[in-house]
Amino acid sequence: MKTAGMPLRVVRGEGALLHLDDGRKIIDCISSWWVTLHGHGNKQIADAIHEQAQQLEQVIFAGFTHEPAEQLAKGLLELLPRSLTRVFFSDNGSTSVEVALKMAFQYWRNVGEPQRTRFIGFEGGYHGDTMGAMSAGGSSSFWQHFRKLMFDIDVVPFPETWDGDPDVEAKEAASINALRKLLTLDGSGGLQPAANGTGGLQPAFAGIIIEPLIQGAAGMRMCRPEFLRKLRAVADEFSVLLIFDEVMTGFGRTGDWFASTKADVSPDIICLSKGITGGFLPLSVTVCAERIYDAFLSDKLEHALFHSHSYTANPIACAAANASMKLLIETQSRFRDMEATHRRLTQKHLSDSPLLTHFRFCGTIAAFDLAEGQANYYSELPAKLRSKFIEQNLLLRPLGNTIYLLPPYCIDADTLDSVYATIRRTVDEGVSSTKIGTGGRQSALS
Ligand SMILES: *Cc1c(COP(=O)(O)O)cnc(C)c1O
């Protein structure tokens, strides 16, 4: 609070625009932290919320169910990879990850392999701010104060890539090799003494968790769909569960319904939140494969998954999600076509800039970095750029030295064109007027 500027006061939202109380209009180029899909103030979703609120605002979801939740579960299963069959509701991205971790962990206990207690994550991974989610994203420096409260995970490199990257195959191989090394039975890390006391060794890993195709908070770091297929093969070979945290990548962000459908890879567990209600209300789901559900299906209470929240499957949030899904189905071309627009406008405004590098695209998301030595997270440039953008009525929040666009799907090409033109001008002016330290690439959440 001491060093932050005064927050801007928003009185109304409309499409891609945020109206401030001083009359200014800001273009929301990051979908208000990645949640808004159809734009602000969407009437169909607002109407659905209004209607549901008068019908049934909330009900305990233990021993009770309701139409909006059932409809949402059915709708989701139609769009998700076929192998995902069971839906568990919670109420934000972090909790959907907590549920996934608990599910994977207890799954192995229920099937008689309780020594499988460890998880593997990726360098730069971000999975939320609650304890388990922080642990799963353990490589971030943001949680140094909480280390002693977090559980330990193993981390492998994320094969981050961009347009024209000649090293992508090598990076993927390095990542897969690191994984195999951890998981291989004769490597020391992958084994625990057998639970049956025979003195033998058994596999130690319960699951692998990844943000598929794009690590968001780490700076919109992208990997290829091919990598996810290789990852699936390794998980199968060593029988570890594969968890896709699609909290950010779900619902059209990647240009397809989900990163998993885009890459044609089925995880064992998937986490969805952020865009699920179109950005209107908090809600999340953790969806799993039938064999995981089966491992909990028992006469013994101790086999059950003990996890619930007061607002689990809130009917108003579910109604918003159903309205949003309907809209998404009707307007699919918007999220499917946006990558071509990003590419065209990058070509037109940015690609000849010597200050920018590592252009990368995935569906509705475009990202690029300030060239090496121009800035790093702790230098003043990113913060300066952020306020320069706001001065020009753009909501953009550079992550470290990465500038990215992640707009609501309703944004039109002319507006995007003006956004790109402003970015170019601002970067040129910002870099030339800032004395900055050197420093390499930094990944950071801010
Ligand atoms: C935002 C995010 C989360 C956490 O979601 P919250 O709703 O903010 O708790 C988890 N995983 C990923 C990939 C995210 O982008």
Side-chain angles (χ1 to χ4, degrees):
M1 289 308 294
K2 193 165 177 187
T3 56
M6 282 304 280
L8 302 174
R9 203 142 181 281
V10 184
V11 289
R12 199 160 66 85
E14 185 185 25
L17 291 180
L18 295 168
H19 296 249
L20 305 188
D21 68 351
D22 61 7
R24 287 168 63 199
K25 290 180 220 138
I26 305 277
I27 303 174
D28 186 348
C29 306
I30 59 163
S31 298
S32 282
W33 248 344
W34 323 342
V35 301
T36 306
L37 299 190
H38 315 283
H40 295 278
N42 179 276
K43 179 140 175 21
Q44 283 99 314
I45 301 177
D47 286 347
I49 288 173
H50 176 77
E51 237 167 73
Q52 185 57 44
Q54 294 175 77
Q55 185 76 26
L56 174 67
E57 82 299 340
Q58 165 67 356
V59 64
I60 176 174
F61 206 61
F64 290 83
T65 182
H66 49 78
E67 210 271 330
E70 290 167 5
Q71 188 189 330
L72 177 56
K74 279 199 197 103
L76 283 170
L77 294 184
E78 271 166 32
L79 297 171
L80 284 166
R82 288 263 164 268
S83 58
L84 297 168
T85 55
R86 299 285 174 170
V87 180
F88 192 105
F89 288 90
S90 58
D91 51 19
N92 64 71
S94 303
T95 57
S96 75
V97 170
E98 299 287 340
V99 171
L101 296 170
K102 286 167 78 171
M103 241 183 216
F105 189 89
Q106 192 182 335
Y107 167 81
W108 291 111
R109 298 178 66 83
N110 285 3
V111 299
E113 286 203 58
Q115 84 290 346
R116 283 187 180 263
T117 58
R118 295 189 64 83
F119 288 92
I120 300 174
F122 284 81
E123 274 168 16
Y126 175 81
H127 302 288
D129 280 359
T130 51
M131 285 298 167
M134 285 199 299
S135 304
S139 60
S140 164
S141 61
F142 281 84
W143 300 313
Q144 48 169 332
H145 295 299
F146 307 109
R147 283 279 163 224
K148 283 197 170 157
L149 291 175
M150 290 157 58
F151 60 78
D152 186 37
I153 66 156
D154 288 285
V155 172
V156 295
F158 183 82
E160 133 180 69
T161 189
W162 44 82
D163 273 14
D165 175 13
D167 301 325
V168 60
E169 300 270 357
K171 289 179 198 169
E172 289 178 5
S175 184
I176 293 293
N177 287 343
L179 256 179
R180 296 186 65 90
K181 199 163 165 212
L182 282 172
L183 292 164
T184 303
L185 293 182
D186 56 7
S188 54
L191 293 176
Q192 295 273 26
N196 58 14
T198 55
L201 294 174
Q202 290 182 329
F205 288 102
I208 303 170
I209 183 163
I210 186 170
E211 295 161 83
L213 294 184
I214 311 167
Q215 287 189 327
M220 297 299 154
R221 306 204 310 166
M222 300 187 188
C223 73
R224 299 193 306 171
E226 286 90 328
F227 176 69
L228 298 181
R229 294 196 277 273
K230 295 176 195 171
L231 179 61
R232 177 73 266 184
V234 174
D236 284 343
E237 184 183 340
F238 293 95
S239 311
V240 285
L241 299 176
L242 184 57
I243 303 169
F244 276 4
D245 176 355
E246 291 221 38
V247 167
M248 187 276 277
T249 52
F251 303 100
R253 271 294 155 210
T254 64
D256 202 318
W257 281 104
F258 303 97
S260 31
T261 52
K262 179 163 181 151
D264 195 22
V265 173
S266 287
D268 301 293
I269 302 176
I270 195 169
C271 306
L272 302 170
S273 186
K274 290 209 165 94
I276 191 168
T277 61
F280 272 67
L281 287 165
L283 180 71
S284 61
V285 294
T286 308
V287 188
C288 71
E290 195 70 8
R291 77 175 161 117
I292 296 178
Y293 175 82
D294 283 344
F296 290 83
L297 196 62
S298 163
D299 293 323
K300 295 195 184 128
L301 191 57
E302 69 257 32
H303 286 162
L305 178 61
F306 284 100
H307 190 111
S308 70
H309 296 280
S310 312
Y311 282 97
T312 289
N314 172 259
I316 303 175
C318 289
N322 289 326
S324 174
M325 296 254 288
K326 184 166 179 285
L327 274 168
L328 273 181
I329 290 169
E330 290 163 7
T331 59
Q332 288 185 46
S333 59
R334 286 183 178 169
F335 67 72
R336 294 192 188 278
D337 297 346
M338 201 186 281
E339 180 168 329
T341 309
H342 276 314
R343 286 182 181 275
R344 177 172 61 78
L345 294 173
T346 297
Q347 196 65 38
K348 178 173 169 193
H349 293 288
L350 303 180
S351 45
D352 64 334
S353 169
L355 301 172
L356 301 174
T357 179
H358 296 166
F359 293 98
R360 49 203 188 268
F361 307 87
C362 187
T364 67
I365 304 172
F368 40 89
D369 298 341
L370 293 166
E372 200 72 22
Q374 297 300 339
N376 70 35
Y377 186 75
Y378 297 100
S379 78
E380 65 179 303
L381 186 54
K384 188 167 171 178
L385 276 179
R386 192 200 299 177
S387 50
K388 284 263 174 231
F389 287 135
I390 282 288
E391 278 169 28
Q392 293 167 92
N393 299 328
L394 297 188
L395 169 50
L396 282 166
R397 287 177 70 99
L399 289 160
N401 59 355
T402 298
I403 298 172
Y404 71 95
L405 293 103
L406 193 153
Y409 307 162
C410 66
I411 199 163
D412 60 81
D414 288 345
T415 306
L416 260 186
D417 191 293
S418 74
V419 169
Y420 272 89
T422 308
I423 289 175
R424 174 62 187 262
R425 209 174 48 244
T426 309
V427 167
D428 285 350
E429 286 166 9
V431 169
S432 65
S433 69
T434 308
K435 290 255 186 307
I436 40 169
T438 53
R441 182 93 199 274
Q442 291 268 343
S443 296
L445 171 71
S446 174

